[in-house]
Amino acid sequence: MTLALLFIIVVTPFLGALATFFTGFGLNTILVPVFMIYFDAPLAVLMAGIVHLCNNILKVALTARSIDWNLFRNFGLPALLFAFIGAQLLNTVKDTIGAQLTPVFGAIFILFALLELFNWKLPLQGLWAMRIGGSLSGFFGGFSGHQGALRALFLSRLKMEPIVFVATTAIISLLVDLTRVSVYFSGSWLYNYYPTYIMIYCVPSALAGTLIGRKYIQKVNHARLSIIVGVALLAMGLTMVLGYFIPIH
């Protein structure tokens, strides 16, 4: 393993886990495109999902007392259903369009980055807005692993303490991860998959980021960090789309 690769797989999940404590998304959003440098899109989604799942177990353990269960019922339950649908779709299209998923995911990253950078807030309100938001978030969570950005867009309109936001999104994200990772492993395309050594470095790094984020959640400039995540996401999405259509030989 080169020092550059070691640096990437240690620092990236740490920063992603740290970011998600303050922005509502970040870890999976950052890990998927990084893993796609070395693996195809569906496998990258799976590997990021495993790291994300482990990290969410720790987040729930740290914040469980602050979960808003009413919000979970209206947002989380639709997210679980549509995460299953999105994951099944990924299993289906993997064998038919394969590498063409790269620009699709790149376009998704760009969309989420623009929504974040322009601080776009959905005009919908009430229980149905939460259910629609949960459905969209769950579907993209299952299909591309990007549940957090849409979830943050819908829930940002609600007035809640930061720790309540983190705790509730953590339990939703954890159950979505369990759903989608289970579906991924049911696909025949994973029969020859074995967890790589990258997981050994990524998981502890992400957990460290979460522990630090829990400690300093009230002390970080959330708006500035959100902009940083948005810019990084936009750059990665553009790189994926342009790299697909303009390959470098």
Side-chain angles (χ1 to χ4, degrees), residues 20 44 62 69 138-139 212 214 235-236:
T20 193
L62 291 173
W69 290 107
F139 175 80
I212 293 176
R214 175 66 179 88
M236 184 61 71

Side-chain angles (χ1 to χ4, degrees), residues 63-121:
T63 63
R65 294 182 179 181
S66 301
I67 294 172
D68 183 333
W69 290 107
N70 183 58
L71 180 59
F72 171 80
R73 285 192 296 271
N74 288 286
F75 193 96
L77 294 182
L80 296 182
L81 172 61
F82 280 84
F84 177 83
I85 295 173
Q88 287 284 15
L89 179 61
L90 179 64
N91 274 357
T92 301
V93 303
K94 194 275 175 186
D95 293 328
T96 57
I97 62 178
Q100 296 177 18
L101 286 173
T102 298
V104 174
F105 287 176
I108 293 173
F109 299 158
I110 292 172
L111 173 62
F112 289 166
L114 293 176
L115 295 179
E116 180 68 17
L117 289 172
F118 287 97
N119 197 29
W120 184 67
K121 299 294 187 297

